[in-house]
């Protein structure tokens, strides 16, 4: 049978994830990543790598999902959370730079949805207490939860190795 040859354009987190996924799903195929920039010179390399859906105005320019129904966004988020959780629990976690991280998300005004659609996907979601909020006098509302973080300095080279079949 002829070898299947597939080209992926772009070597940020999306292109490398796509290439790694195809390599796994199509055994024996040849995947070529075509790009003008590779890690560490992509936008993905400067991302904090926090897994949180951003519906707030500050990130609207990055992720305008207003045309995507919330149930679809939630399914995407749950699947991504579960996929990255498996990596975080595996022996690959340190190499991949994927781990759980707990923190606060603080707001200067109370958001329209105090409990966002993704609250039951992350771990331990709750509203911050008054005592916790007192540490941030400029802020009036906050959420506490545990989610996943991809350290991009490790995660992108790890994805690259998976994409070219070294892992
Ligand atoms: C400061 C900052 C912090 C962020 N923090 C987070 C965060 O915590 N969590 C989160 O989810 N998101 C975060 N983001 C957003 C995140 O970085 C992007 O959504 C993500 O990197 C997009 O990945 P990408 O692969 O689509 O794009 P990119 O990483 O930009 O990759 C695009 C690739 O395509 C190539 N390319 C583009 N045009 C061409 C062309 N014409 N010919 C050939 N190659 C081409 C580029 O060279 C590059 O390799 C952050 C962004 C910034 C700037």
């Amino acid at each position: 049978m002829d070898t299947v040859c597939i080209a992926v354009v772009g070597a940020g987190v999306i292109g490398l994830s796509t290439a790694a996924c195809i390599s796994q799903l199509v055994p024996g195929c040849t995947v070529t990543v075509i790009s003008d920039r590779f890690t560490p010179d992509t936008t993905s390399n400067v991302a904090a790598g926090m897994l949180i859906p951003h519906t707030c105005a500050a990130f609207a320019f990055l992720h305008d999902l207003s045309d995507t129904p919330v149930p679809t966004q939630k399914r995407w988020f749950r699947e991504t959370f579960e996929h990255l959780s498996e990596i975080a629990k595996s022996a690959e976690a340190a190499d991949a730079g994927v781990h759980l991280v707990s923190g606060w998300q603080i707001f200067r005004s109370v958001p329209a949805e105090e409990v966002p659609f993704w609250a039951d996907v992350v771990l331990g979601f709750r509203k911050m207490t008054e005592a916790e909020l007192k540490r941030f006098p400029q802020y009036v509302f906050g959420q506490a939860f545990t989610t996943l973080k991809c350290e991009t300095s490790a995660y992108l080279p790890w994805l690259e190795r998976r994409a070219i079949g070294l892992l």
Side-chain angles (χ1 to χ4, degrees):
M1 199 169 77
D2 290 342
T3 306
V4 177
C5 300
I6 297 163
V8 175
V9 180
V13 69
I14 300 299
L16 293 180
S17 302
T18 304
C21 208
I22 292 170
S23 290
Q24 279 182 321
L25 292 175
V26 188
C29 71
T30 302
V31 181
T32 305
V33 178
I34 301 166
S35 188
D36 59 353
R37 286 167 197 242
F38 286 83
T39 187
D41 299 320
T42 68
T43 299
S44 298
N45 286 93
V46 299
M50 299 290 297
L51 189 61
I52 311 170
H54 280 290
T55 46
C56 63
F59 282 87
F61 72 102
L62 285 172
H63 307 280
D64 181 9
L65 294 176
S66 50
D67 288 344
T68 307
V70 166
T72 306
Q73 293 184 46
K74 184 164 181 174
R75 179 167 54 79
W76 290 346
F77 184 63
R78 188 183 295 283
E79 286 173 4
T80 307
F81 195 93
E82 287 170 359
H83 172 74
L84 290 174
S85 288
E86 287 307 310
I87 297 173
K89 283 186 266 180
S90 76
E92 294 282 307
D95 269 358
V98 180
H99 55 88
L100 287 166
V101 64
S102 299
W104 292 324
Q105 182 159 251
I106 50 179
F107 298 80
R108 289 185 196 276
S109 58
V110 179
E113 288 179 327
E114 294 189 15
V115 180
F117 71 82
W118 44 268
D120 63 348
V121 179
V122 297
L123 307 176
F125 182 96
R126 62 175 174 80
K127 278 166 65 175
M128 282 169 69
T129 63
E130 289 299 320
E132 287 168 338
L133 266 176
K134 276 202 178 125
R135 296 170 180 228
F136 308 98
Q138 313 285 324
Y139 296 83
V140 299
F141 183 82
Q143 302 158 339
F145 53 91
T146 296
T147 188
L148 288 138
K149 177 169 163 61
C150 302
E151 301 293 349
T152 55
S153 57
Y155 189 60
L156 293 168
W158 180 80
L159 272 182
E160 210 169 58
R161 293 195 293 279
R162 282 179 79 94
I164 60 177
L166 292 180
L167 290 175

